[in-house]
Amino acid sequence: MGTTQLEQAPETKYWHLKTVIGEALDSEFAVGEILPNERDLAARFGVARATLRQALEQLELEGRLQRRRGVGTTVAPPRMGVAVGAAGNGWPGGTGDAWQAADSTQEIPPASVAELLGTGEETVHVLRRSRMYNGQPVAADLLYVPAASVPDLSAIDIPDGVTRARVVLRELQRLGFEGEDRAVELGSARADDARQLDRLPGAPVLLVTTRYFGPGGRTAAVSVATYRADTCRLTFGGDVEFHSGQERRAS
Amino acid sequence: MGTTQLEQAPETKYWHLKTVIGEALDSEFAVGEILPNERDLAARFGVARATLRQALEQLELEGRLQRRRGVGTTVAPPRMGVAVGAAGNGWPGGTGDAWQAADSTQEIPPASVAELLGTGEETVHVLRRSRMYNGQPVAADLLYVPAASVPDLSAIDIPDGVTRARVVLRELQRLGFEGEDRAVELGSARADDARQLDRLPGAPVLLVTTRYFGPGGRTAAVSVATYRADTCRLTFGGDVEFHSGQERRAS
């Protein structure tokens, strides 16, 4: 795996540049301020524009910069700590549920979700929900609820839409809640989620998959939530205000 | 914010291509298989190489592909579920701690960590640790322990290195453990972590910042862990085997 190879790789050049720009952001720029254009920045730091662009991409990954069409590159505010543990979610539709339902359809879920639910090729309720934080959309979510979890619902009578979403959530409340677990991974925004989150398709996102367990430990519902990775830091265990762990001034 | 603008953006072209390639990966390729070169792939799908490259980058973000120098692009195995909740970590140095200490120094921590610890410009113990999973390095960690958390340690007598790391962890055990909380965010690999994780500097990583609370709810230690985002899915709450939430076949 060649330590030497890594050290001599061209990547280290923009890495160093990234550190230098990061220091300049700390000392010379305020949050929201627009950076000089790429040509001027490249000239200032004495690097090729391709190298500069790579460094800016890294700083965007780390949440230091925001790049938006028609605006340019601005200095990003610190990421928001968004509670993802039980405190910020809870049983869907219950007290403390941070999500707003916007739509409901009936579909065969993706294979990975069907496997978690044990539903196979069966149609399930799919609720599209969104989560706001400080007035900004921070996450979009698909909540998959098998018919077996809402046995008293005669779904045929209610057309697709937000009304059925509310009825599904209300019925889900009647199941006993036995726990939940979560997985967090890196993903890229699907076109519809990107639209909802005001991002471009393919932008890096944090994918949070939650399994909600009902009576007998059976999986009663699965949520696949897409969080903006640029503006969010996901917090677990307590709602304590928490500052960024990204080591901004580390060598 | 222009929904229309997003839909007409050139990004949707590679997004569609990404879906098509993703389907081809499912149906035609096995895990570990090397993909045809970029020129052949671009020809097969009738796209420019720049478009193809963007699509491959997205698939890499989603953990579907691995791109390594000298090997080419291979089909990635499913991500590993790595327990990050209390089950997989626990009080540093205690039973169930998944980390191996490799080094110990005394340094002034980055400003963000000093703020969490409330140590200001004070020197703290910095333990470099690593975490293996299925024989692969999955995470690198810096554990910051203020002198106040290990009051009986006469650090002056022990030189920098793994021996002092072990002594610091042993002394930390003597503090009462009152809880922990965590934050997960997107970051880019620092040069030293990248080396330890066999990645290139700047690769996307998942940064997990953990605060360990001691007597009186005081922050006794802070860990900043860098997890490989390509191979890991972080799991919270139970060690149940958990399949990927990334919707591989979603439209």
Side-chain angles (χ1 to χ4, degrees), chain B residues 147-165:
Chain B
S149 296
V150 287
D152 295 337
L153 179 69
S154 53
I156 301 125
D157 297 340
I158 314 171
D160 282 2
V162 67
T163 305
R164 194 173 62 220

Side-chain angles (χ1 to χ4, degrees), chain A residues 5-20:
Chain A
Q5 188 196 348
L6 288 180
E7 295 213 331
Q8 291 170 350
E11 278 77 4
T12 52
K13 190 171 178 183
Y14 81 79
W15 182 260
H16 173 70
L17 175 65
K18 191 198 72 116
T19 309
V20 172

Side-chain angles (χ1 to χ4, degrees), chain A residues 6-7 11 15 58 62 69 79 181-186 188-189 195 200 202 207 234 236-237 246, chain B residues 6-7 11 15 58 62 69 79 181-182 184-186 188-190 195 200 202 207 234 236-237 246:
Chain A
L6 288 180
E7 295 213 331
E11 278 77 4
W15 182 260
Q58 292 307 315
E62 294 174 15
R69 279 215 199 113
R79 285 177 172 156
D181 67 9
R182 285 196 175 75
V184 178
E185 64 188 307
L186 181 64
S188 64
R195 211 153 40 228
L200 291 173
L207 281 182
L234 310 182
F236 295 83
Q246 180 80 25
Chain B
L6 288 181
E7 295 212 329
E11 277 78 5
W15 183 259
Q58 293 307 315
E62 293 174 15
R69 275 212 202 116
R79 285 175 173 159
D181 67 9
R182 282 192 179 74
V184 178
E185 63 189 305
L186 180 64
S188 64
R190 295 182 310 148
R195 211 154 37 227
L200 290 172
L207 281 180
L234 310 182
F236 294 83
Q246 179 81 26

Side-chain angles (χ1 to χ4, degrees), chain A residues 70-137:
Chain A
V71 177
T73 303
T74 58
V75 180
R79 285 177 172 156
M80 298 177 282
V82 179
V84 171
N89 289 261
W91 193 237
T95 355
D97 181 6
W99 295 89
Q100 253 91 58
D103 196 13
S104 168
T105 55
Q106 292 184 78
E107 292 167 37
I108 298 170
S112 57
V113 173
E115 196 178 342
L116 294 178
L117 290 170
T119 49
E121 293 289 302
E122 195 185 304
T123 288
V124 305
H125 296 284
V126 183
L127 276 60
R128 172 162 283 280
R129 305 188 300 168
S130 65
R131 185 171 177 186
M132 304 287 288
Y133 197 85
N134 289 346
Q136 290 174 53

Side-chain angles (χ1 to χ4, degrees), chain A residues 15-244:
Chain A
W15 182 260
H16 173 70
L17 175 65
K18 191 198 72 116
T19 309
V20 172
I21 299 177
E23 283 164 3
L25 293 181
D26 285 334
S27 57
E28 297 174 35
F29 292 90
V31 166
E33 203 172 329
I34 299 173
L35 248 56
N37 65 42
E38 286 186 1
R39 200 183 54 185
D40 291 353
L41 281 176
R44 166 171 169 180
F45 294 108
V47 294
R49 279 180 73 170
T51 310
L52 177 79
R53 211 169 285 139
Q54 270 188 304
L56 296 180
E57 272 166 23
Q58 292 307 315
L59 288 163
E60 202 182 358
L61 263 190
E62 294 174 15
R64 303 293 315 273
L65 292 177
Q66 285 176 321
R67 297 205 288 172
R68 284 171 300 179
R69 279 215 199 113
V71 177
T73 303
T74 58
V75 180
R79 285 177 172 156
M80 298 177 282
V82 179
V84 171
N89 289 261
W91 193 237
T95 355
D97 181 6
W99 295 89
Q100 253 91 58
D103 196 13
S104 168
T105 55
Q106 292 184 78
E107 292 167 37
I108 298 170
S112 57
V113 173
E115 196 178 342
L116 294 178
L117 290 170
T119 49
E121 293 289 302
E122 195 185 304
T123 288
V124 305
H125 296 284
V126 183
L127 276 60
R128 172 162 283 280
R129 305 188 300 168
S130 65
R131 185 171 177 186
M132 304 287 288
Y133 197 85
N134 289 346
Q136 290 174 53
V138 292
D141 163 82
L142 292 175
L143 179 71
Y144 299 92
V145 183
S149 297
V150 287
D152 295 337
L153 179 71
S154 53
I156 303 126
D157 298 341
I158 315 170
D160 280 3
V162 67
T163 304
R164 194 174 62 220
R166 291 199 189 111
V167 175
V168 169
L169 289 171
R170 194 192 63 210
E171 289 298 311
L172 198 56
Q173 289 295 302
R174 297 159 63 128
L175 271 185
F177 171 46
E178 297 220 340
E180 61 198 23
D181 67 9
R182 285 196 175 75
V184 178
E185 64 188 307
L186 181 64
S188 64
R190 295 181 310 148
D192 49 353
D193 294 327
R195 211 153 40 228
Q196 209 172 321
L197 297 173
D198 192 15
R199 303 244 63 199
L200 291 173
V205 292
L206 295 169
L207 281 182
V208 181
T209 306
T210 307
R211 296 194 291 188
Y212 295 99
F213 301 112
R218 205 172 43 76
T219 305
V222 165
S223 149
V224 180
T226 300
Y227 282 84
R228 286 183 65 150
D230 56 336
T231 55
C232 296
R233 194 177 60 252
L234 310 182
T235 66
F236 295 83
D239 279 270
V240 197
E241 206 33 58
F242 200 107
H243 291 88
S244 173

Side-chain angles (χ1 to χ4, degrees), chain B residues 153-176:
Chain B
L153 179 69
S154 53
I156 301 125
D157 297 340
I158 314 171
D160 282 2
V162 67
T163 305
R164 194 173 62 220
R166 292 200 190 111
V167 175
V168 168
L169 289 171
R170 194 192 64 209
E171 288 298 310
L172 198 55
Q173 291 293 306
R174 300 160 62 130
L175 272 184

